[in-house]
Amino acid sequence: MGRIFTVELEGRSYGCKFCKTHLALADDLISRAFYCQRGKAYLFNNVVNFTIGELEERLMLSGLHTVADIFCCCCGQIIGWKYEFAHEKSQKYKEGKFVLERGRIVDGIDFSAAEFFIESRANMSDAEDA
């Protein structure tokens, strides 16, 4: 297997619950009113750092859709799905959009404001100079 390159998002974003890989910006969130078999889900305009599974027809509460499951590119966990085609005219707005399952993402991480710990104890070379 080759080396995995990931996109690092700046600003408030959502990450993989399992490995904290960046997945989507909060600015790309369209709706929090989605549901999946495991509970709540969010609809996004754009998602990064994923691999995509096979297309399949899936009957959902809103009708028949052609979707593909999406997986975190780093840890391989399923994180949601991508809408490829909506069979009903009223659902066409979902085409090309992504759903991330709420239980599989970490909410609202601001990766650009990460805190860093700097150890301030004297080490051997510091003690020798004193």
Side-chain angles (χ1 to χ4, degrees), residues 29-110:
L29 178 63
I30 299 170
S31 174
R32 290 187 175 103
F34 279 71
Y35 291 89
C36 62
Q37 291 178 338
R38 295 180 216 33
K40 291 184 177 184
Y42 296 168
L43 182 69
F44 287 88
N45 269 322
N46 190 39
V47 171
V48 297
N49 300 325
F50 68 91
T51 59
I52 194 160
E54 297 290 321
L55 291 178
E56 63 180 73
E57 301 292 318
R58 203 174 286 170
L59 185 59
M60 300 183 173
L61 293 174
S62 58
L64 185 63
H65 299 275
T66 303
V67 300
D69 287 332
I70 58 174
F71 306 85
C72 175
C73 71
C74 290
C75 69
Q77 289 286 327
I78 187 167
I79 52 174
W81 66 88
K82 181 180 181 185
Y83 285 105
E84 293 292 344
F85 181 75
H87 296 271
E88 295 185 27
K89 191 174 183 178
S90 66
Q91 300 299 308
K92 292 287 186 187
Y93 75 96
K94 295 178 183 176
E95 291 182 352
K97 306 287 191 291
F98 300 85
V99 172
L100 295 179
E101 297 180 16
R102 181 63 190 94
R104 296 182 169 272
I105 59 175
V106 180
D107 194 354
I109 298 171
D110 188 349

